Every structure is written in C-alpha cells, then in structure tokens.
Amino acid sequence: MKSAFCAAGVGLFVLIILTVGCEQKRPVAPPQFSVRLLTSPSVSGRWETAAERGLGLIAAELDADVARRRVDDGPQGQGQLTAEGRQGVDLVFCIGVGFEKVLYAEAAAYPETVFVLLPGRARAANVAGIEFLPEGAGYLAGVVAATIAPAPRAGLLRGVGGPWLEALERGFSAGFGAHHRRAVVETEHGVEGVWALNVTDVNVALYASDGPEPGVMEAAREAGVRLIVTDPRLMTDFPDTVVAAVDIDVAEAMLRVAREVRDGTFVGQVYSFDLGSGILDVAVNSELDPALLEAATVAMEEARAEVTAGLIEVDRLGL
C-alpha cells in the first residue's frame, strides 16, 4: 500500500512539473499596435472628421489600440506628444500645422514612436509628413465645369482653407482652359461673390473652401450658380446645386502609413498623394441630367488618362 501511495505521489509531482513547464513555454502575445490621433483647434471640422474615420479604419483593419485627443497648438500639444512618447505608443498622427514647431524635439526624444504630421512636409528617422497634390483633381474638376458650362466662362469662388486650395485652383483653371479657347475664369469670394458671378453670367464655379461659409450654398441655389465643391457631403445636402465634388480619402492615406509602421517597413519621409495614388478623385453628381452626366463622365475619364500618362502639364502635378 505504501508503495502505491509513493508511486501516486511521484506521478502527481511529475504531472505538476510538466504542467508548470508547459505554462512557462507558452508564447507571450506581442503588445497591441497602438495609434493615437491628436488634433488642434487650427484644423477645420471637415479634416478632423476625416481623420477620425482614418483612426476607425486603422482600428478595424489593423486591430489597433486607438484613441484621439484634442489639444491646443502650444504647451498642451507639446505635453501630449511627450506623454505619448513616454507611454511607448507606436504611432501618433498630429493633425494641424501647429504641431510642427515642437514635433522634432519630442520625436528625437522618443525614437521608438513614429510621429506623422498631416498636412505637412516633416521628415526624420521617426517623423513623416502627409501632403496632397490636388492639381490633377483640380484639372478634372475644370474639365467637368467646361462640359457643363454653356459658355466659356467659369467661376472660382474662394472660401477659407489651407494652402492646398491654391494648387486645386490652378488645376481647375488649367482644366477649364484646355477645353475652351477663350476661357474666362472669374474669381470672387463668399456670399457676395456668388451674386457677382451670377451677374457676369457664370453658372458653374469651383467653391474652393475647407468648409462652407454661412449662406454660400443657399445663395448659390438661389442664384442658379452650380458648384463643384471640396466636401463630398455637400453633394448629398445640396443635390440640385452641387454638380461634382473633389474627394480626398484622408482615411485611406492614414491607413497606408499605419500599415508600414506596423509591418516595420516605415521610413521617415513625406508621403505625397496625387491623382494617380487613388487618394484624390472627383465624383460627378449622379443626379445630373443623364446627357450631361454622360458627357461629363466621358470627358473626365479622358482627362484622367491624359493626366496619369503625363500628357498634361500643370505646375506641381507630382506625376
């Protein structure tokens, strides 16, 4: 009997040792990929919303631990950059130009964290910038306007926004001019500008703005001035006024950068997205008169082929 108990005890001891050994050999799960989004008051609501979509896309497709924080452009922003670096966050998107002043100092202190400025041209070993080259998309918008306008006159209605709008305007003027030998592009501003365009018999205009100013869309509807806008949501809100929209897929741009950081292939650089990248495009309103819709779509696709093939020269196309 004593021998049986001894044998059982030895077996139990061996089982415990084997169990402990197995537990010690279990692979340790790698830490979850972590991404943070910092936005500053200098960012318009449109860009902030787009960046939030990007964060959601990264969480869904890369199984990332994500969080967003609103901070100011001064000490609070710098303090948050420091906090993210100390916590060992993998990737921090900084949305707004105010971050650029303090970005390099903080990035150098935390080389294991990647900081990405949007929009921006920042570049270092662990710093990247994202910029959009909208001339090509602007060219397509000009072609759409030339197809819809009954006369060789178009409008450029300027609103509030970043420097990227200037490049968009250049592309628009080039695209419109390429389809009219004696093209005239009238430049105006705000609500009063809508009525000024109406007086000069302009009925199609590019509304170059990061966010619609109060009354502009309503004035355009009343004046009969049809707009190409820079926010696709306006095409849904004003289907009778908006004929096309320039679309920048900020979420996809963020996801592409995040993939490289997660996969360990990131190199500090400026990520430049143009018409050929698939990040920028122009969407024509499907509610247009069928004949106009077909004509605008065909003309736009022909122009797209020419631009992406390098046959169209617009300043800083980046192709």
Side-chain angles (χ1 to χ4, degrees):
M1 179 71 76
K2 186 175 181 180
S3 297
F5 278 118
C6 288
V10 170
L12 180 61
F13 178 75
V14 172
L15 179 61
I16 293 173
I17 293 298
L18 290 174
T19 302
V20 172
C22 290
E23 289 179 353
Q24 289 177 342
K25 292 181 180 179
R26 286 177 181 171
V28 178
Q32 190 175 15
F33 181 52
S34 54
V35 181
R36 300 292 179 263
L37 171 64
L38 307 185
T39 60
S40 71
S42 63
V43 179
S44 72
R46 177 211 172 184
W47 291 99
E48 189 173 38
T49 301
E52 288 173 351
R53 287 199 304 271
L55 194 66
L57 195 61
I58 290 168
E61 296 202 15
L62 304 184
D63 189 28
D65 165 35
V66 303
R68 65 82 45 84
R69 319 193 193 284
R70 289 187 178 93
V71 295
D72 63 29
D73 295 332
Q76 185 187 12
Q78 183 172 3
Q80 193 62 53
L81 288 173
T82 301
E84 306 299 353
R86 285 177 177 171
Q87 293 171 15
V89 171
D90 295 303
L91 171 60
V92 181
F93 284 101
C94 306
I95 313 299
V97 294
F99 290 105
E100 192 163 2
K101 299 176 183 177
V102 298
L103 184 61
Y104 284 108
E106 299 306 318
Y110 304 101
E112 299 304 314
T113 297
V114 171
F115 298 88
V116 178
L117 184 65
L118 190 164
R121 295 189 56 79
R123 182 172 56 188
N126 64 324
V127 177
I130 292 178
E131 70 168 358
F132 302 108
L133 306 178
E135 291 90 343
Y139 188 91
L140 296 192
V143 169
V144 171
T147 305
I148 294 174
R153 301 181 70 85
L156 183 54
L157 187 64
R158 287 180 174 158
V160 295
W164 76 278
L165 293 171
E166 298 176 7
L168 182 72
E169 293 171 4
R170 289 197 298 272
F172 176 80
S173 296
F176 189 78
H179 286 69
H180 286 301
R181 294 184 59 185
R182 297 184 178 181
V184 175
V185 178
E186 303 280 357
T187 302
E188 297 291 345
H189 299 77
V191 175
E192 293 182 359
V194 172
W195 293 106
L197 292 176
N198 174 264
V199 169
T200 56
D201 294 326
V202 169
N203 64 0
V204 180
L206 171 68
Y207 183 26
S209 176
D210 274 336
E213 298 161 89
V216 168
M217 299 304 299
E218 291 78 5
R221 181 163 52 192
E222 292 179 20
V225 177
R226 309 187 81 176
L227 300 177
I228 298 173
V229 298
T230 56
D231 187 345
R233 295 175 299 182
L234 294 175
M235 192 151 52
T236 302
D237 297 338
F238 299 90
D240 296 332
T241 301
V242 176
V243 295
V246 177
D247 189 14
I248 300 180
D249 196 344
V250 174
E252 176 63 23
M254 292 172 62
L255 177 62
R256 292 186 189 182
V257 176
R259 281 199 194 106
E260 293 191 10
V261 176
R262 185 205 57 179
D263 296 342
T265 60
F266 171 85
V267 177
Q269 61 178 301
V270 176
Y271 291 82
S272 298
F273 296 103
D274 57 20
L275 184 65
S277 69
I279 298 295
L280 284 82
D281 207 347
V282 174
V284 180
N285 190 345
S286 60
E287 299 300 317
L288 281 179
D289 174 83
L292 279 180
L293 176 62
E294 182 179 3
T297 301
V298 169
M300 189 175 70
E301 292 310 315
E302 290 177 352
R304 185 197 306 279
E306 292 175 341
V307 170
T308 54
L311 302 178
I312 304 296
E313 293 186 4
V314 180
D315 187 28
R316 287 192 72 252
L317 268 178
L319 301 176

